[in-house]
Amino acid sequence: QAALQGVNAVQHGNMGITSALAAEGGVLPSHGSVLRIVVENVFYPITLDILYQIFSKFGFVLKIVMFHKNNQFQALLQYADATNAYYAKMSLDGHSIYTGCCTLHIDFSKLTNLTVKYNNDKSRDFTRVDLPFGDGQRTMETSLSTPFATQNTIFPSYTGPPGFAPAVGFPQGAGPLAVTTSAAPGHMTIPGIPGNSVLLVSNLNPEAITPYGLFILFGVYGDVHRVKIMFKKRGIALVQMADATQAQLAINYLNGQRLYGRVMHATLSKYQTIQLPREGQEDKGLTKDYSNSPLHRFKNPCSKNFQNIFPPSATLHLSNIPPSVTVDDLKNLFTSKGSTVKGFKFFQKDCKMALIQLGSVEEAVHALIELHNHDFGENQRLRVSFSKSTI
């Protein structure tokens, strides 16, 4: 996959668009803002994020719905503006996302507006962060206009102008990065900037969530620099990671995780930084700067923490346990925070490390937030991570 070239379909002064506009007398045809996309020869998986990344280069993408119909991968994509839809069709129709495969065939849909009920990996409404995750099943009827006429032409695949980096492989096999972000101004206000390090985290429990809790949880997957819980919508937060790779890791591991009784959603934000409140600005402690926190796990490039990144699990790895602390002390500590202790074992070599198995993954997430950096006194602080082992 690393050898695949990323597509960068925005050619400045694109001849295709210019000549097409000239042929139309400079007037854009009357059509809607919804495109129907068929991807042929899907050799590499196409995700909603890849489509979003490619098509958002042409304007503000409002909604995407993906589905299979007639044994073909298809998607519907709605722009804020019909002009953007026209440019995207002119520029991308017939091009391949990767060299020689995943070829795009694009048409205007007869639908004028898409109805999205769930924000998940098959459908998304970028204007609404409050939609439920659902069960992944699409509820929208696929009674759409006639299938495409078969294309007999073989289009040369477009591998982007020289000098653009090849596709970047995401960690966790999330597939290659489909586009290299262009440095052109005007592309920075789109929601979910590719390569961004600020996350939009939604569907949080406003009664239970705190900036510190998000700092500790997201800190398992990268160094969190700032956290902001929205003043008017306490169920939504921004989390700024040290870099884009850590942001992507956090999405891979935490999107869809249950936290305080709700399924949390994590995606890239349209903001590139979290602004700290100005002097005297009412904030109620909802924005916090953690850039100099001693609790960052990944400051040291040689740290073993890089090798020990695991998904949230019911078993926690405990380390930095003082010699005076017993099994019962630790069990009681976790029970006092509402956890059910199902199993416990010290590592044989020394008693500085242990595994503790709790009643559920969600319990373990809550316990990690509560007890990572717990002070046993005399500056002995407990370190808590997710474990890949079970007891």
Side-chain angles (χ1 to χ4, degrees):
Q1 289 188 347
L4 292 168
Q5 289 295 308
V7 71
N8 192 313
V10 183
Q11 275 176 291
H12 294 293
N14 187 313
M15 292 307 293
I17 292 176
T18 326
S19 53
L21 278 172
E24 309 244 4
V27 182
L28 287 172
S30 56
H31 57 73
S33 56
V34 181
L35 294 177
R36 196 160 58 97
I37 302 153
V38 172
V39 186
E40 280 190 349
N41 194 9
V42 183
F43 191 68
Y44 295 104
I46 301 296
T47 65
L48 193 141
D49 292 323
I50 286 175
L51 289 178
Y52 176 79
Q53 247 178 305
I54 294 170
F55 282 84
S56 62
K57 285 190 160 277
F58 295 90
F60 199 87
V61 175
L62 300 182
K63 303 168 189 175
I64 301 178
V65 178
M66 304 192 320
F67 53 95
H68 275 85
K69 187 183 176 191
N70 308 333
N71 287 333
Q72 281 180 317
F73 177 97
Q74 300 196 20
L76 291 164
L77 182 143
Q78 182 174 348
Y79 277 106
D81 189 292
T83 315
N84 302 134
Y86 179 75
Y87 280 150
K89 178 184 181 327
M90 292 301 301
S91 299
L92 294 174
D93 187 24
H95 282 309
S96 298
I97 298 176
Y98 303 115
T99 310
C101 66
C102 301
T103 308
L104 297 166
H105 298 300
I106 303 168
D107 220 339
F108 295 110
S109 169
K110 290 183 176 149
L111 296 170
T112 53
N113 187 40
L114 298 182
T115 308
V116 174
K117 293 188 179 172
Y118 300 114
N119 278 344
N120 55 33
D121 54 0
K122 293 279 182 285
S123 62
R124 210 166 297 166
D125 182 336
F126 293 96
T127 64
R128 291 187 56 191
V129 288
D130 57 320
L131 289 179
F133 193 72
D135 54 3
Q137 298 302 312
R138 237 175 43 84
T139 51
M140 209 186 98
E141 301 71 39
T142 51
S143 53
L144 302 168
S145 49
T146 54
F148 282 100
T150 49
Q151 304 266 9
N152 296 326
T153 337
I154 293 172
F155 291 89
S157 70
Y158 184 79
T159 54
F164 274 84
V168 181
F170 274 148
Q172 299 314 305
L177 202 55
V179 257
T180 43
T181 40
S182 91
H187 284 302
M188 302 322 279
T189 51
I190 54 173
I193 303 169
N196 195 3
S197 59
V198 179
L199 301 173
L200 174 70
V201 186
S202 57
N203 203 35
L204 296 167
N205 183 334
E207 306 300 316
I209 201 65
T210 62
Y212 178 78
L214 289 170
F215 164 66
I216 292 295
L217 178 57
F218 280 76
V220 173
Y221 300 107
D223 293 340
V224 176
H225 284 195
R226 289 180 180 176
V227 177
K228 181 185 188 75
I229 292 176
M230 298 302 187
F231 190 75
K232 292 192 173 149
K233 289 187 176 172
R234 301 287 170 95
I236 299 170
L238 295 172
V239 176
Q240 185 171 336
M241 308 295 286
D243 60 42
T245 309
Q246 294 181 2
Q248 190 60 49
L249 267 182
I251 290 174
N252 290 348
Y253 285 117
L254 293 175
N255 181 38
Q257 175 56 51
R258 286 186 72 82
L259 179 65
Y260 303 123
R262 296 196 179 183
V263 177
M264 168 173 62
H265 306 313
T267 181
L268 291 176
S269 166
K270 65 179 178 184
Y271 299 104
Q272 287 193 292
T273 183
I274 293 176
Q275 298 292 331
L276 294 174
R278 293 187 299 278
E279 290 274 324
Q281 189 181 354
E282 193 187 11
D283 179 68
K284 294 196 173 156
L286 295 175
T287 309
K288 295 281 188 197
D289 184 71
Y290 294 105
S291 46
N292 296 318
S293 169
L295 295 186
H296 288 163
R297 295 176 189 240
F298 304 99
K299 269 194 304 215
N300 176 358
C302 308
S303 165
K304 280 189 179 163
N305 293 336
F306 285 102
Q307 280 99 58
N308 293 317
I309 298 177
F310 303 113
S313 59
T315 307
L316 296 172
H317 179 278
L318 312 179
S319 59
N320 222 25
I321 303 167
S324 57
V325 173
T326 66
V327 173
D328 286 341
D329 292 337
L330 285 162
K331 284 184 177 176
N332 292 339
L333 176 64
F334 277 81
T335 310
S336 73
K337 300 295 182 187
S339 300
T340 327
V341 177
K342 293 282 184 74
F344 185 92
K345 115 175 163 193
F346 270 120
F347 281 64
Q348 278 140 347
K349 287 179 192 151
D350 59 11
C351 290
K352 287 185 189 165
M353 292 199 283
L355 293 177
I356 189 165
Q357 191 167 342
L358 304 182
S360 67
V361 175
E362 188 177 4
E363 263 190 33
V365 169
H366 300 168
L368 180 135
I369 290 172
E370 290 277 328
L371 292 171
H372 179 66
N373 202 42
H374 173 78
D375 191 355
F376 287 114
E378 295 164 37
N379 213 11
Q380 296 266 10
R381 292 179 180 273
L382 181 66
R383 292 180 57 83
V384 185
S385 313
F386 296 117
S387 172
K388 67 171 190 287
S389 320
T390 48
I391 299 170

